[in-house]
Amino acid sequence: SMESALRNAFPRMGSGVYIARMLVERCMVEGIPILRYAKPPEWVHDNNRKAEAATWIADMLKPVIDGIPTFSRTVLGQDFGRSGDLSVIWVLQADSGKAWRTRFVLELRCIPFDVQQQILFFIMDNLPLLHHAKFDARGNGQGHAEAALQKYGLARVECVMATASWYAANFPAYKAAYEDKTIIVPKSEDIIADHRRVILVKGNPTMDEGRDKGSDGGWRHGDSAIAGLLAWAATKSEAAPIEFESLGRIRESAQTGDYAGNERFSRTEFMS
């Protein structure tokens, strides 16, 4: 139809944009790293890929994580992509007052499943005071999210089915973070473009189908907006206590911010 042809030609026309450029720009600061790791499709069967990734982690990722202050809790959101789309990991840390500061954004392009897990686990093992992580568990992301859930447990990880109703429930708080300047984000045209892909359809925020050519020359369509949304939702997660019918109670130690994992349950708690 003419209407859909016009919409495809001008995906950003009109008042449909949910998070305006100005809102995002006001929350941007210089100096927050955006890390990128990209490989050609054939790297998937390179037997040195894990060793190469370990070198990249040590050279590029570890110094950034080592520079994060250790006295304040962190959260993580990931929008998963394997081949066509970017995989974006967004890390926030509680800042002064009610604000959360982005510590880094990581964009993975065409990175195999096993290496994405290697990178994610390094991040989650090394972030200071990791409070919670949320993953988009639709489609290709399901196995990745499930592996994180199995390794870090229900208190730390949620596998999110990012449906229209989940967006409707969670996008308003994320937009409000930009309005209130309670989120601090990297200075980046890519991040602005991604957030302009969030549109209102029948009054509800959702992702536009369009794509943008990013600063790396590759295509993107809102990937960092979903990662940021998931990270923001993670800031709202209750840490503890969480009730489990079969396991009794998971406790958070006030002293360390650490969670009592299953291996630390006493026999009586297990049997209760």
Side-chain angles (χ1 to χ4, degrees):
S1 74
M2 174 59 79
E3 190 184 344
S4 64
L6 271 173
R7 176 156 141 49
N8 290 336
F10 304 107
R12 299 177 177 180
M13 254 178 75
S15 59
V17 172
Y18 183 65
I19 302 175
R21 164 183 286 272
M22 182 193 73
L23 278 184
V24 183
E25 280 182 337
R26 285 170 49 227
C27 297
M28 287 186 161
V29 298
E30 299 275 6
I32 298 174
I34 297 177
L35 302 172
R36 293 186 176 93
Y37 194 42
K39 289 291 177 185
E42 59 272 16
W43 196 63
V44 67
H45 48 73
D46 183 329
N47 290 331
N48 293 320
R49 66 187 179 275
K50 302 287 286 279
E52 281 183 32
T55 301
W56 178 84
I57 287 167
D59 292 349
M60 304 301 293
L61 182 56
K62 186 176 187 295
V64 170
I65 293 178
D66 286 349
I68 296 175
T70 57
F71 50 79
S72 193
R73 66 191 172 144
T74 56
V75 297
L76 176 156
Q78 180 171 12
D79 183 37
F80 188 89
R82 171 58 186 91
S83 45
D85 300 325
L86 279 176
S87 216
V88 180
I89 294 173
W90 193 313
V91 171
L92 291 171
Q93 184 173 43
D95 204 36
S96 58
K98 288 194 296 189
W100 288 78
R101 176 179 289 266
T102 304
R103 285 300 168 193
F104 65 89
V105 174
L106 170 58
E107 298 187 351
L108 305 174
R109 193 178 285 282
C110 205
I111 300 300
F113 290 100
D114 57 351
V115 176
Q116 290 209 41
Q117 182 173 301
Q118 178 184 358
I119 290 168
L120 174 71
F121 286 2
F122 179 86
I123 293 170
M124 292 185 70
D125 284 345
N126 289 282
L127 281 177
L129 301 177
L130 177 62
H131 171 69
H132 195 74
K134 289 197 192 294
F135 298 88
D136 180 4
R138 294 172 306 176
N140 269 346
Q142 188 166 7
H144 185 75
E146 184 175 274
L149 177 68
Q150 288 168 335
K151 182 166 164 68
Y152 300 99
L154 281 159
R156 290 270 179 100
V157 171
E158 187 189 2
C159 304
V160 174
M161 286 297 169
T163 58
S165 61
W166 192 87
Y167 283 155
N170 288 275
F171 257 125
Y174 185 51
K175 181 180 183 177
Y178 287 92
E179 291 169 340
D180 302 340
K181 288 185 165 178
T182 47
I183 190 169
I184 300 161
V185 305
K187 198 169 171 64
S188 160
E189 279 296 321
D190 289 336
I191 284 176
I192 289 171
D194 284 353
H195 285 73
R196 285 176 61 79
R197 288 285 165 201
V198 188
I199 58 167
L200 280 175
V201 175
K202 294 177 185 163
N204 289 316
T206 189
M207 298 309 294
D208 162 346
E209 292 304 310
R211 289 176 178 259
D212 302 282
K213 187 157 264 196
S215 59
D216 65 349
W219 292 101
R220 52 196 306 132
H221 69 132
D223 311 285
S224 74
I226 300 300
L229 170 66
L230 287 158
W232 190 256
T235 71
K236 307 293 185 196
S237 276
E238 285 301 320
I242 293 174
E243 298 285 354
F244 291 104
E245 282 175 30
S246 58
L247 291 181
R249 188 184 287 262
I250 281 195
R251 291 200 184 85
E252 184 183 28
S253 148
Q255 255 135 14
T256 63
D258 195 18
Y259 292 89
N262 290 354
E263 71 279 359
R264 282 186 249 153
F265 275 101
S266 72
R267 195 174 180 85
T268 54
E269 282 177 300
F270 246 107
M271 292 173 71
S272 63

